[in-house]
């Protein structure tokens, strides 16, 4: 009976129609109605965990998936009491999620922040693409001036050469080291992520630590792409300008 039970579990694992988890319709035939995605996912996990429980004595994979979902659903922790004056200056993009708001093949990407007397921040985003400097200017301000959390709104106007349409996004400082040399920037939907540094390169161990900070806030860091940075950063006036509405951050 044990062998029959194991065989039935193997069949259940391999024949779960994974297309259902994507919402596809059930094929025509004897099946009158396909269960929902949750039902199939639960059946697949139950069958798999039961099988591995019988053979190996555990359901580690299911637990890891549950832990991942818990992390992604938790509320993100944001830096509190950010010293805005220390945060100002130039930051180099070490890695980021690919975005339609940035040129695909941009290199030497960086952001420069300047504090204004009224507490707002001037933002200059720059990158180099095909030998041209691509940039856009905007402004940032605290989402809630009374809050101690480092949650900002960043506003740009597009197109840059005729600024008439405001585009606003969230800018949350998720981590800043005590020396203000490295930062992790995200936003509530976790659709965007930036790893920033005061230097064009960071040590591998430091980079791993920054990734771990992002993982702890529910990010899938496998989506990150490292940004090529030259050993000697280019000067802003060293290449022809090409203002671009795909340079928002």
């Amino acid at each position: 009976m044990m062998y029959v039970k194991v065989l039935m579990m193997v069949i259940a694992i391999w024949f779960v129609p994974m297309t259902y988890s994507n919402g596809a319709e059930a094929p025509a035939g004897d099946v009158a109605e396909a269960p929902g995605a949750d039902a199939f996912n639960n059946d697949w996990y139950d069958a798999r965990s039961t099988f591995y429980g019988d053979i190996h004595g555990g359901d580690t994979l299911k637990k890891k998936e549950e832990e991942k979902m818990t992390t992604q659903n938790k509320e993100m922790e944001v830096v509190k009491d950010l010293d805005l004056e220390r945060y100002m200056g130039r930051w180099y993009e070490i890695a980021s999620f690919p975005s339609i708001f940035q040129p695909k093949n941009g290199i030497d990407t960086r952001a420069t922040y300047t504090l204004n007397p009224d507490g707002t921040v001037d933002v200059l985003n720059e990158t180099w693409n095909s030998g041209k400097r691509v940039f856009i200017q905007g402004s940032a301000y605290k989402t809630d001036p009374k809050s101690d959390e480092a949650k900002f709104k960043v506003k740009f106007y597009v197109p840059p050469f005729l600024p008439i349409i405001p585009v606003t996004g969230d800018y949350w400082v998720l981590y800043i080291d005590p020396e203000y040399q490295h930062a992790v920037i995200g936003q509530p939907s976790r659709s965007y992520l930036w790893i920033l540094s005061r230097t064009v390169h960071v040590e591998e161990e430091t980079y791993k630590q920054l990734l771990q900070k992002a993982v702890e806030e529910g990010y899938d860091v496998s989506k990150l792409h490292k940004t090529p940075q030259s050993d000697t950063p280019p000067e802003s006036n060293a290449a022809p300008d090409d203002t671009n509405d795909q340079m928002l951050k």
Side-chain angles (χ1 to χ4, degrees), residues 136-150:
I136 192 168
Q137 294 174 291
S139 62
Y141 52 92
K142 286 285 293 289
T143 303
D144 180 0
K146 297 180 180 180
S147 173
D148 61 352
E149 293 184 315

Side-chain angles (χ1 to χ4, degrees), residues 93 95-96 102 183-187 192-196 248-249:
E93 181 184 280
S96 68
Q102 292 182 235
V184 178
I185 310 301
Q187 44 82 257
Y192 302 100
L193 178 67
W194 292 274
I195 306 296
L196 304 181
L248 308 180
K249 176 162 78 264

Side-chain angles (χ1 to χ4, degrees), residues 16 18 39 56 82 90 95 127 140 144 147 157-158 203 210 236-237 240:
V16 170
M18 299 304 292
H56 300 294
L82 180 74
R90 179 167 291 176
T127 192
D144 180 0
S147 173
Y157 286 91
V158 294
E203 297 290 336
L210 295 171
S236 296
N237 59 359

Side-chain angles (χ1 to χ4, degrees), residues 168-179:
T168 304
D170 291 292
Y171 183 109
W172 289 11
V173 183
L174 305 180
Y175 171 77
I176 185 80
D177 73 300
E179 302 303 321

Side-chain angles (χ1 to χ4, degrees), residues 33-125:
E33 181 178 357
D38 290 341
F40 271 109
N41 286 335
N42 291 336
D43 289 346
W44 186 72
Y45 278 127
D46 291 342
R48 181 178 58 185
S49 60
T50 303
F51 173 73
Y52 283 110
D54 285 347
I55 302 301
H56 300 294
D59 56 351
T60 305
L61 193 56
K62 181 179 179 180
K63 289 181 179 178
K64 286 184 176 180
E65 188 66 22
E66 290 174 346
E67 290 173 358
K68 179 180 177 182
M69 292 300 296
T70 299
T71 303
Q72 290 179 338
N73 291 332
K74 79 162 191 173
E75 184 177 353
M76 281 192 284
E77 294 184 11
V78 181
V79 170
K80 294 183 178 181
D81 298 318
L82 180 74
D83 188 333
L84 203 53
E85 290 187 3
R86 290 186 67 190
Y87 192 75
M88 295 298 97
R90 179 167 291 176
W91 290 90
Y92 297 95
E93 181 184 280
I94 302 303
S96 68
F97 280 3
S99 166
I100 62 172
F101 301 114
Q102 292 182 235
K104 182 178 181 180
N105 299 316
I107 65 172
D108 296 319
T109 306
R110 65 197 188 196
T112 304
Y113 305 127
T114 305
L115 186 62
N116 295 315
D118 63 357
T120 62
V121 176
D122 285 339
V123 178
L124 171 62
N125 290 337

